[in-house]
Amino acid sequence: MNNDGLTIGIDNRDGVYYVARVDNQQGRPDIKALIRIDADHFNGHHLLEGNRIVVALPDDQVIVKQFRLQSTENIDLKIKFELETAMLDNTDKFLYDCIPTQLENYYLGLSIRKELATQITEPFLKQNGDVKFSTSGVMRAAALANGFLTYCQQSGGQFGAIVDFGEKSASIAFYYKQQIIDLDCLPLEKNYYQSDDSFQNLIIELKTLLNFKLSALLEKGISIPLSKLFLIGETISETQLETLSSNLKIDICRPEIHAGFITDREKALEIPLDKYLVALGLTVL
């Protein structure tokens, strides 16, 4: 089997690995397989063999900061310097990344401890005996945005958001003109979806976070309202989705994978595609 050009995206979703196996050799992503694997039984799985493995990094372990720079020269070095300046610990203990946005000279700087990133990615480095693969990590919320912007139908206007609810936390990504503009996460109360009181607390916390983010982005130049919020997560029922939409006063809907990426429509109906959106986003080059 020739695995050159294959990228494997691996997302640990509440203790289960959701895996996307994608070929990017033709310029347009070709989804070869979507796999669900118990976190205790992934080692040696033949569908995890590939040229490049990318693993989702926990949102709450990634530091995200916004920067506006006057020049576009040596952006990565400048962002790294700004992040290092803000560190209280030894800067050599961190990894750094940079995400450009559609706002002029406005960037997101990301950092995570090397030790943690290694702990998360190392199990996949030699997961098939002595065969080594290129292994890296991406913040989960960033992968969520990349998966949505690459694979989903775009009906949310220029400025929107995607929220992926898990059991313990929600990944949140904001996009503007088809590019990431901000990333965050929301810790969730245990069984937040099982009682009216807990769900009301969730509404308040999510509304507070959204208002804070929208206010900050308004100051940075985004004056248009948030047009739509896309929601992922089986813990949120359709009734609760409607309640969220009513309380937040924003159109909320489920994302839809573009039909062009699905060759077997009948089989696709049996697969919870939204659960693989982060894994798919990890494969975006």
Side-chain angles (χ1 to χ4, degrees):
M1 181 186 295
N2 181 7
N3 291 319
D4 291 343
L6 280 173
T7 301
I8 314 297
I10 304 176
D11 175 35
N12 187 340
R13 186 182 184 88
D14 298 321
V16 176
Y17 286 123
Y18 285 83
V19 181
R21 184 178 174 87
V22 176
D23 188 343
N24 291 293
Q25 293 183 92
Q26 304 304 316
R28 185 176 187 276
D30 180 11
I31 303 173
K32 294 299 186 181
L34 298 175
I35 317 132
R36 176 182 171 179
I37 305 174
D38 188 295
D40 295 327
H41 300 95
F42 73 89
N43 199 50
H45 198 293
H46 70 285
L47 289 178
L48 292 184
E49 294 180 5
N51 185 49
R52 177 173 174 262
I53 293 177
V54 188
V55 187
L57 302 176
D59 296 315
D60 61 352
Q61 298 298 319
V62 179
I63 299 170
V64 181
K65 293 186 178 294
Q66 298 81 30
F67 299 100
R68 189 181 293 278
L69 304 177
Q70 298 303 313
S71 169
T72 58
E73 294 181 5
N74 300 318
I75 288 299
D76 289 338
L77 290 176
K78 290 178 180 178
I79 293 296
K80 181 181 178 183
F81 172 77
E82 294 290 346
L83 288 167
E84 288 178 337
T85 301
M87 293 294 178
L88 297 178
D89 204 344
N90 186 335
T91 56
D92 290 336
K93 294 182 179 181
F94 292 84
L95 297 172
Y96 304 93
D97 198 5
C98 171
I99 299 177
T101 74
Q102 284 286 9
L103 294 181
E104 186 176 2
N105 296 335
Y106 175 63
Y107 301 85
L108 295 182
L110 291 75
S111 58
I112 186 172
R113 286 186 175 275
K114 287 181 181 179
E115 182 180 6
L116 177 61
T118 299
Q119 289 175 0
I120 295 170
T121 60
E122 193 170 42
F124 303 98
L125 188 60
K126 294 176 64 176
Q127 66 92 31
N128 278 276
D130 291 328
V131 181
K132 288 189 176 183
F133 303 119
S134 168
T135 309
S136 60
V138 172
M139 181 180 179
R140 192 175 191 278
L144 172 66
N146 288 333
F148 174 81
L149 294 172
T150 302
Y151 289 96
C152 290
Q153 297 185 28
Q154 303 299 303
S155 59
Q158 287 189 327
F159 182 34
I162 316 101
V163 183
D164 183 1
F165 284 95
E167 291 283 348
K168 299 178 181 179
S169 65
S171 298
I172 304 174
F174 297 84
Y175 63 90
Y176 178 62
K177 294 183 178 180
Q178 295 299 296
Q179 281 191 233
I180 293 170
I181 190 68
D182 205 355
L183 302 168
D184 212 325
C185 68
L186 182 67
L188 299 174
E189 179 182 334
K190 185 178 181 180
N191 299 326
Y192 59 90
Y193 48 88
Q194 292 187 348
S195 73
D196 291 340
D197 287 344
S198 294
F199 194 68
Q200 283 300 318
N201 289 337
L202 168 65
I203 292 174
I204 293 171
E205 291 178 6
L206 182 58
K207 187 173 185 178
T208 300
L209 186 149
L210 289 175
N211 286 340
F212 174 77
K213 290 294 183 180
L214 296 181
S215 176
L217 290 171
L218 177 61
E219 293 180 0
K220 292 176 174 64
I222 300 183
S223 57
I224 60 176
L226 193 70
S227 56
K228 187 174 286 189
L229 189 152
F230 293 89
L231 186 148
I232 299 171
E234 61 183 7
T235 56
I236 305 295
S237 68
E238 295 306 309
T239 300
Q240 289 173 326
L241 187 149
E242 292 175 5
T243 300
L244 266 177
S245 181
S246 175
N247 280 269
L248 298 177
K249 295 180 173 55
I250 186 172
D251 185 17
I252 301 179
C253 65
R254 308 281 187 180
E256 294 184 23
I257 302 287
H258 196 284
F261 290 107
I262 305 170
T263 54
D264 190 337
R265 298 294 293 172
E266 291 187 7
K267 187 175 182 180
L269 293 174
E270 303 172 2
I271 301 174
L273 293 172
D274 56 349
K275 288 187 176 181
Y276 291 91
L277 203 54
V278 171
L280 286 166
L282 292 167
T283 70
V284 175
L285 300 179

